Amino acid sequence: DAGVIQSPRHEVTEMGQEVTLRCKPISGHNSLFWYRQTMMRGLELLIYFNNNVPIDDSGMPEDRFSAKMPNASFSTLKIQPSEPRDSAVYFCASGQGYNSPLHFGNGTRLTVT
Amino acid sequence: DAKTTQPNSMESNEEEPVHLPCNHSTISGTDYIHWYRQLPSQGPEYVIHGLTSNVNNRMASLAIAEDRKSSTLILHRATLRDAAVYYCILRREEYGNKLVFGAGTILRVKS
């Protein structure tokens, strides 16, 4: 199994631009999580899906952030417009059922200048 | 979310056992205790989890106090590759499938 695949690995963009981060979960997993990690705030849960349905998006910082999961094998996290304070490493993770271990991708390092 | 308390950092010698403590005095009966670790420049990695009984796997052991208000992650022989941030997390069914990370313990391993 290839594990959770995130793309791109690195993204550098200018303030005001739209950014789209992508995630392919492990096949057969029915839950998907998006996290953000910074030195100041640590690992923050942004949103998670069960069976492609958003369950809890209370961690999404602002309306500039949106996440979708159109099918079981793909999810996106979009930031529009991006700001320098959005600079962070964004992780995607997937799991199979309640209480099962989460498998994390290698993350996308986003830099907004 | 139920709270856990961990030391900010710990240090260990290579090839010695390491005991990483976690306090969770407000734990409820349905909370599972999960441990993850994050190696430098990588995503978090699942280590182990348990409910009431002690658990062992190829990576570590989890010792859970009888009153469940604390637990200890045991690495039987620390290696340099075990240097990481270790997170103790309570996962509750009524909160759905959420996994919320705290600050964790930075483990340094000396050769």
Side-chain angles (χ1 to χ4, degrees), chain B residues 12-58:
Chain B
S12 170
N13 294 316
E14 199 176 10
E15 301 197 3
E16 290 186 358
V18 181
H19 291 236
L20 294 159
C22 181
N23 287 321
H24 26 79
S25 58
T26 59
I27 193 170
S28 81
T30 57
D31 285 342
Y32 279 79
I33 303 161
H34 284 247
W35 283 82
Y36 282 73
R37 72 179 185 180
Q38 187 172 21
L39 280 63
S41 301
Q42 293 189 27
E45 173 188 33
Y46 168 79
V47 178
I48 200 167
H49 77 280
L51 182 62
T52 56
S53 303
N54 295 344
V55 185
N56 300 297
N57 66 21
R58 62 174 180 80

Side-chain angles (χ1 to χ4, degrees), chain A residues 60-76:
Chain A
M60 296 284 263
E62 300 170 31
D63 291 344
R64 298 184 296 106
F65 286 68
S66 63
K68 293 183 180 179
M69 192 163 187
N71 57 62
S73 59
F74 184 66
S75 177
T76 60

Side-chain angles (χ1 to χ4, degrees), chain A residues 9 30-31 33 35 37 43 45 48 50 55-56 58 91 95 97-106 109, chain B residues 30-32 34 36 38 41-46 49 87 91-102:
Chain A
R9 287 299 309 274
N30 62 354
S31 60
F33 298 71
Y35 289 86
Q37 187 169 33
L43 265 166
L45 175 62
Y48 76 96
N50 278 350
I55 302 300
D56 187 340
S58 59
F91 289 104
Y98 167 67
N99 214 31
S100 66
L102 291 194
H103 298 259
F104 283 75
N106 288 326
R109 180 174 295 278
Chain B
T30 57
D31 285 342
Y32 279 79
H34 284 247
Y36 282 73
Q38 187 172 21
S41 301
Q42 293 189 27
E45 173 188 33
Y46 168 79
H49 77 280
Y87 299 96
R91 208 172 182 188
R92 184 177 294 180
E93 186 171 5
E94 68 190 71
Y95 295 152
N97 216 8
K98 283 172 70 167
L99 195 71
V100 178
F101 288 79

Side-chain angles (χ1 to χ4, degrees), chain A residues 2-3 10 13 20 30 32 35 51 77-78 82 87 93 98 100 104 107:
Chain A
H10 301 274
T13 190
T20 299
N30 62 354
L32 184 139
Y35 289 86
N51 297 315
L77 178 68
K78 186 177 293 186
S82 57
S87 297
Y98 167 67
S100 66
F104 283 75

